[in-house]
Amino acid sequence: MDFTLNPAHTELAKRVDEFVEEKIAPHRQENDHEATYRPGLIADLAAAGLFALRIPREHGGLGLDSVSSGIALERLAGGDLAVCFPVLNAGLIGGVLADNGTPGQKAAWLPPIARGDHLVALALTEPDHGTDAAGIRLTARPEGDGWVLDGEKTSIMIAAHATHALVFARTGGEGAGGISAFYTALDDEHVRRERLSDLGCRAGGRGRLIFDGLRVGPGDLVGAPGGGFRAVMRGFGVSRALIALMAIGVGNAALGEAYAHAKRRTAFGQPLGRHQAVTFPLVEHTTLLHAARLVSFEALCRADLGEDPRIPSNMAKWWAPKAAVEAVHQALLTLGHLGWSEDGPIAQRLRDVIGLQLADGTAAATKMTVARLLLGKEYAP
Ligand SMILES: Cc1cc2nc3c(=O)[nH]c(=O)nc-3n(C[C@H](O)[C@H](O)[C@H](O)COP(=O)(O)OP(=O)(O)OC[C@H]3O[C@@H](n4cnc5c(N)ncnc54)[C@H](O)[C@@H]3O)c2cc1C
């Protein structure tokens, strides 16, 4: 067992750390106040190769492993969690397209995703179907050689910024087997967007996408008809571990701020850090995040070895965001009134990281997946 990063991973980590320090962290509060990404951010992410991490080399990407995405997203999240979503989506949707697309689709879509020209949203959740995603109702009605999409998606991260979306729609009967995936441009008179007003990750522009008679052709169908749901669920096997690492990035950034404060601030004649009642809770949260981090990277290593990552990735997805929320909360308390203030970084980190307890599946959804894998489908349908 080897817990060290290889030289390529170490180099990537260093590069992303420098990028975060220069281009991300200084703008975290500005992004939040303006509720959008600062001008030039997407171009900077693209220039740093962050949209290209998981795209195969033959399609203009870097062809890196899942561990590399974990390294990059954990660090980006420590700078500004909201910035992670377009990068996460490029990897998740790029992976679904690389695994399920035709050669023509891959050649047409993967290079612009890698370059950041296509900013992609994942459009699965609907007003009446979140955890119960296999029940979605947005319809794809056959017309001519294609389909017409009608219905509403909601809670779609980067809906305000995205140029394209992978949209899940019902082409067949009830359940997961009746759902197909379509890759489509969003700049169309038959698609309306509405922003949602959120507690955190405000720059991410989460929103509703309303499809009103959008025509999609056979060339927009990704994979086989009825294969869309299974394709995205396979993608979640990796992305849930990546989201766990994003949560851990936020948690450790806040704990780092709390440790620094504990050295600086004095109370009762000595630095806060000399009071064990201050340091022990911080150390407990650092321990839990460390453990959750190992489970998350185990999932990514297994995926890179071609093994099924779903048990550790779903374990990480329910545990790490919860551990991170609790760690950031403790960090806020350690900073006292300074932690509570929106002038400091921690209040925003707390608002932001709570969203990861929902995104890509709640704790209940991910525990259901683990139960199904451990017990068998008949016990945990
Ligand atoms: C920050 C953020 C980003 C997101 N990004 C996207 C995105 O890009 N694309 C997208 O499609 N969606 C996205 N979502 C939506 C997200 O996937 C859903 O919020 C999530 O799947 C839960 O669905 P729901 O909100 O409808 O809750 P519901 O499914 O209504 O669940 C409500 C509560 O009931 C619990 N529950 C539900 N069923 C069960 C059960 N069988 N047993 C026990 N408990 C249960 C849930 O755990 C939850 O606590 C995002 C959400 C957030 C907050």
Side-chain angles (χ1 to χ4, degrees), residues 144-194:
D145 64 349
W147 295 264
V148 177
L149 302 187
D150 279 296
E152 179 180 334
K153 296 292 179 184
T154 193
S155 190
I156 308 308
M157 198 42 115
I158 71 163
H161 310 293
T163 61
H164 290 71
L166 190 64
V167 183
F168 295 84
R170 190 159 295 285
T171 48
E174 295 297 306
I179 298 173
S180 301
F182 297 92
Y183 188 80
T184 179
L186 293 176
D187 189 10
D188 189 289
E189 58 178 326
H190 297 284
V191 184
R192 195 156 50 84
R193 312 179 197 216
E194 284 178 14

Side-chain angles (χ1 to χ4, degrees), residues 85 89 121-133 153-159 166 168 198 200-201 206 236 240 352 354-365 368 381:
F85 292 98
N89 283 3
L122 183 96
L124 178 62
T125 302
E126 296 182 0
D128 293 325
H129 296 281
T131 304
D132 175 23
K153 296 292 179 184
T154 193
S155 190
I156 308 308
M157 198 42 115
I158 71 163
L166 190 64
F168 295 84
D198 285 350
C201 291
R206 197 177 64 109
F236 282 170
R240 285 182 171 165
D352 286 351
I354 290 171
L356 298 186
Q357 293 190 282
L358 300 167
D360 236 10
T362 64
M368 274 190 255

Side-chain angles (χ1 to χ4, degrees), residues 237-253:
V238 168
S239 72
R240 285 182 171 165
L242 296 177
I243 292 181
L245 284 162
M246 286 157 48
I248 291 162
V250 180
N252 276 326

Side-chain angles (χ1 to χ4, degrees), residues 37 87 281:
Y37 298 133
V87 173

Side-chain angles (χ1 to χ4, degrees), residues 73-116:
L73 283 164
E74 182 186 14
R75 286 169 157 77
L76 273 182
D80 183 353
L81 179 59
V83 166
C84 292
F85 292 98
V87 173
L88 177 77
N89 283 3
L92 170 60
I93 296 173
V96 172
L97 297 177
D99 290 345
N100 299 279
T102 63
Q105 289 175 330
K106 291 190 241 189
W109 298 332
L110 293 175
I113 293 176
R115 288 194 303 270

